[in-house]
Amino acid sequence: MATPPPQPGPYAADLPSVPAWLNKGDNAWQLTAATFVGIQSMPGLVVLYGSIVKKKWAVNSAFMALYAYASTLIVWVLLAFRMAFGDRLLPFWGKAGPALSEDFLAARAAFPATARHGTPRTEPYYPEATLVLFEFEFAAITLVLLAGSLLGRMNIRAWMAFTPLWLLLSYTICAFSLWGGGFLYHWGVIDYSGGYVIHLSSGVAGFTAAYWVGPRLKSDRERFAPNNILLMIVGGGLLWLGWAGFNGGAPYAPNITASVAVLNTNVSAATSLLTWTCLDVIFFGKPSVIGAVQGMMTGLVCVTAGAGLVHTWSAILMGVCAGSVPWFTMMILHKRSTLLQKVDDTLAVFHTHAVAGLLGGVLTGLLATPDLTALHSHVPGARGAFYGGGVAQVGKQLGGALFVVAWNVVVTTGILLGVGLVVPLRMPDDELRVGDDAAHGEEAYALWGDGERFDVTRNEAARAGAWGNGVREEAVDHQLAGMGARGVTIQL
């Protein structure tokens, strides 16, 4: 019997994995950008969190970030992606549904709710699978940033319950409203790459959560020195370089605004770092490395709302503002505010993300240029106030920020009160005094000694290890005997 001829499929006959609508360059860039954003979380913020906290909280802090990243992906493909970027259910929410089947993931990417009132729907030139991955990385980093407010005391089981609920009930709302075709999107609020959806949300939600979870131990609040500043810089560096994908991937194509955005992102970060460092020197007499990393971060956050829509001289101005306004709220205002003093925001996420994110959104309303905005925005004639937009765009930016703030305060409060009925939100004080070993039964650094007196009778293992490295036996015996005779104690 003759073999039946192959049936025509959705793909080109000569290139079976390349449908007619797919642009391989766009697809390659979007997958690369997604990887860059993923590196910001894993390992970037995992390393930063694990090194910027006290030694006894290194494992717990890194694990909170790691868990948030992993749990977000599963919830994202099961329900959350389509709630954030699917068909319209409500003016601020999409219809839930899975993103798991070939029919869905191999089809052309689309934002169905963006088509409204004559606005064509957004359709990038790559498959839905690429969009699902890219947007997941943004969702994940939002929760990882939020965790920075809660390090050093939150019950890990409460965190495990909180992350999927907050993703479903808070993040998807803001993402759909501003990016997915919701009411703020069609009203014309500009959030180029997450100044509101990611940074304002995580900063406000983190501050709110810190209030409900409660503070660290008094001794930890008074002294919470980093256990490894060099690794902290490594984590910060991964965050900075990964921002090329964060802001460069926002146009969903490697176009002009993507190039402008990547340049502006780096310029703003560098300017903010230098501004923050100069203020530290002027007011405290010496530069702080932790302060420099915070200044870098505020520069990245601030420019995000308008990275591809402003001149590079505007990015410098945004960097100056990002390095000074959050510095003032953190170093001056925080010490004078009863509310800010009461809430224990471990890594000052409120200042570095909420304040900087709001600042960036307002500055975008002032500085967005008509030509660059026309390449990115679906709203005809959208522009900043300095380019003839009047106060309208600034008003929209403030209105969008008000919605994000109010929603996150209310929903974060509701989720934590609900979780608190089942699992204590804060670890008991006796476990807080121990840290990682109480929470996980593990410690970050398996260093010899760790507070124990050296036992000279254990020299056989040391001698064997040293011989493996080519060290003469006599030298090993001399060192071990000398340490044992002196009663050396190594205290960490």
Side-chain angles (χ1 to χ4, degrees), residues 34-76:
T35 304
F36 272 119
V37 181
I39 287 172
Q40 291 182 287
S41 296
M42 237 315 289
L45 285 169
V46 171
V47 170
L48 190 147
Y49 285 1
S51 54
I52 201 172
V53 297
K54 250 183 176 179
K55 172 183 173 289
K56 72 173 185 175
W57 288 114
V59 171
N60 182 258
S61 300
F63 180 73
M64 284 181 69
L66 179 62
Y67 176 84
Y69 186 82
S71 65
T72 297
L73 178 55
I74 303 305
V75 179
W76 190 248

Side-chain angles (χ1 to χ4, degrees), residues 13 56 108 124 172 243 246 254 276 318 328 334 336 391 420-421:
K56 72 173 185 175
R108 183 175 176 179
T172 58
W243 226 282
F246 199 104
W276 193 294
M318 295 175 86
F328 173 79
H334 187 98
R336 300 177 181 178
V391 298
L421 296 175

